[in-house]
Amino acid sequence: MITKNIQLAVQELREDNIIAIPTETVYGLAGNAFSESAIHKIFEFKKRPLHNPLIVHIQSIDYLTKVAKDIPDKAYQLANAFWPGPLTLVLNKKENIPNIVSAHKNTVAVRVPNHPMALALLANLDFPIAAPSANPFGSISPTSAMHVANYFENELAIILDGGECEKGIESTIVGFDGDEPVLYRLGSISLDDIEKEIGELKLITKNDINPAAPGMLSKHYAPKTKMYFTNNVHELIQKFTNNQIGLLLFEKKLDYKNITHQEILSVTSNLNEAAKNLYAAMHRLDHSNLDIIVAERLPDVGLGKTINDKLERASKNE
Ligand code: TXA
Ligand code: MG
């Protein structure tokens, strides 16, 4: 059921059930972070491998010490600058976080979401909420209640409808190597904005074999339709003249009369707007019976870096 009733959602979570909730980034599949049985349900429901840990959502920075310890100064600096908001911090975890949440790591990923409904839920609960994105593992993340319903129509008791997600792309994840900050996942807050707060971050590169955050490397955020990602859309299109093609473009349509499915991410060339529209555009293209989707590389600055990272992953073959 799609609903705006927060009390119903509170009740389900108290009974160890899982529901979909809105956040400012993407919709989450939520359960009591202190309950092993709720967390098991999340992993089963999403068909998510148990080695891929979840993000724990808390109501405010004051709650941080209830779930994490040995918190570096730079973590507080970032939390003060960006919470509530799309920043996730990976910190040493306290015992009350079940091992299944953190995939048996000694760290936990935490954030304060910036969505009035998510915050209202947390204010009514005496436990934090664990929530991965509300999509089957590896597929495009949902940025509206309808996207969630399309994936899990009759399987969820409640999809809490908080409208379209304001940011549209997952949180940026920062962890620590000792006191040194490390970027685990590009997201809604640009790398530049993080570095303005705390100086340079260590990056986990694509060549790292054993990534701390699986989201950094594998095929992810992928449509069912085969997708190509390119600097040169015109050249690529020539190779597929007999196919139904859909285009995912930054700022303007291309003059191909036979290509009717063209999604523009921001007519004003605004990267924040492009991020907000990205997944919804991918969902629409994926539901348009196309043979292939061709996505254009965006300017590699600010959130353009994040968007390009997501598109690259979505177009990987495996
Ligand atoms: O914006 C978001 O972060 C959304 C909303 C719902 O909050 N959530 C989200 O969750 O994107 P999910 O499960 O799709 O991605 C969580 C990411 C994964 O890449 C996971 O590997 C990483 O967080 N992660 C979680 N705990 C970690 C830990 N202890 N160490 C390193 N990475 C961790
Ligand atoms: Mg996800």
Side-chain angles (χ1 to χ4, degrees), residues 25 48 52-53 55 57 107 109 111 132-133 170-171 173 185 212 214-215:
T25 58
R48 180 177 177 114
N52 193 350
I55 295 176
H57 299 72
T107 52
R111 81 179 190 98
S133 50
E170 289 86 347
S171 59
I173 307 184
R185 179 175 75 182

Side-chain angles (χ1 to χ4, degrees), residues 266-278:
S266 170
V267 288
T268 56
S269 313
N270 177 322
L271 289 167
N272 294 324
E273 186 184 26
K276 180 177 178 183
N277 291 330
L278 178 68

Side-chain angles (χ1 to χ4, degrees), residues 72 74-75 78 87-91 172-186 191 194-195 198-205 208 210-213 216:
K74 285 188 175 173
L78 288 173
L87 169 78
T88 295
L89 294 172
V90 175
L91 301 166
T172 302
I173 307 184
V174 176
F176 294 86
D177 184 355
D179 283 339
E180 192 188 358
V182 182
L183 179 78
Y184 284 169
R185 179 175 75 182
L186 285 163
L191 190 53
I194 304 244
E195 292 191 332
I198 54 163
E200 212 171 307
L201 287 190
K202 199 163 110 183
L203 303 185
I204 294 183
T205 68
D208 285 347
N210 196 0
M216 279 302 281

Side-chain angles (χ1 to χ4, degrees), residues 43-290:
F43 276 97
E44 270 170 32
F45 199 88
K46 227 184 116 89
K47 305 205 168 49
R48 180 177 177 114
L50 284 165
H51 61 74
N52 193 350
L54 306 182
I55 295 176
V56 171
H57 299 72
I58 58 173
Q59 57 187 289
S60 72
I61 192 168
D62 300 334
Y63 203 90
L64 190 54
T65 49
K66 295 210 169 99
V67 295
K69 60 184 183 187
D70 318 324
I71 302 165
D73 289 346
K74 285 188 175 173
Y76 275 115
Q77 236 173 300
L78 288 173
N80 280 317
F82 296 112
W83 283 356
L87 169 78
T88 295
L89 294 172
V90 175
L91 301 166
N92 285 342
K93 87 175 184 75
K94 282 210 165 146
E95 295 288 298
N96 53 1
I97 297 293
N99 282 325
I100 180 171
V101 171
S102 59
H104 292 268
K105 292 175 191 288
N106 53 15
T107 52
V108 61
V110 195
R111 81 179 190 98
V112 180
N114 189 16
H115 189 290
M117 277 184 165
L119 290 170
L121 269 183
L122 286 165
N124 275 280
L125 296 168
D126 54 6
F127 49 80
I129 294 174
S133 50
N135 51 293
F137 183 67
S139 56
I140 310 169
S141 300
T143 56
S144 71
M146 270 319 290
H147 291 159
V148 182
N150 287 341
Y151 283 134
F152 302 122
E153 180 112 52
N154 301 314
E155 300 162 70
L156 276 175
I158 285 187
I159 299 170
L160 196 58
D161 186 358
E164 273 178 38
C165 300
E166 183 201 330
K167 297 291 178 189
I169 282 191
E170 289 86 347
S171 59
T172 302
I173 307 184
V174 176
F176 294 86
D177 184 355
D179 283 339
E180 192 188 358
V182 182
L183 179 78
Y184 284 169
R185 179 175 75 182
L186 285 163
S188 280
I189 299 176
S190 73
L191 190 53
D192 305 339
D193 285 349
I194 304 244
E195 292 191 332
K196 264 181 224 151
E197 285 299 326
I198 54 163
E200 212 171 307
L201 287 190
K202 199 163 110 183
L203 303 185
I204 294 183
T205 68
K206 296 198 171 111
N207 301 325
D208 285 347
I209 296 160
N210 196 0
M216 279 302 281
L217 290 184
S218 48
K219 181 179 168 83
H220 231 101
Y221 320 103
K224 293 203 178 70
T225 315
K226 183 147 183 53
M227 184 157 139
Y228 293 85
F229 180 46
T230 177
N231 281 318
N232 191 335
V233 174
H234 293 287
E235 194 180 273
L236 206 112
I237 288 174
Q238 305 314 319
K239 296 186 187 155
F240 295 99
T241 43
N242 295 322
N243 290 278
Q244 285 291 336
I245 301 175
L247 298 180
L248 185 57
L249 303 165
F250 180 34
E251 54 201 350
K252 54 178 184 296
K253 288 197 176 184
L254 298 184
D255 196 12
Y256 289 95
K257 302 229 162 26
N258 54 339
I259 303 184
T260 50
H261 289 92
Q262 301 197 23
E263 289 283 346
I264 307 304
L265 293 176
S266 170
V267 288
T268 56
S269 313
N270 177 322
L271 289 167
N272 294 324
E273 186 184 26
K276 180 177 178 183
N277 291 330
L278 178 68
Y279 291 151
M282 285 167 68
H283 279 285
R284 279 194 297 274
L285 287 167
D286 207 21
H287 287 103
S288 299
N289 283 319
L290 300 165

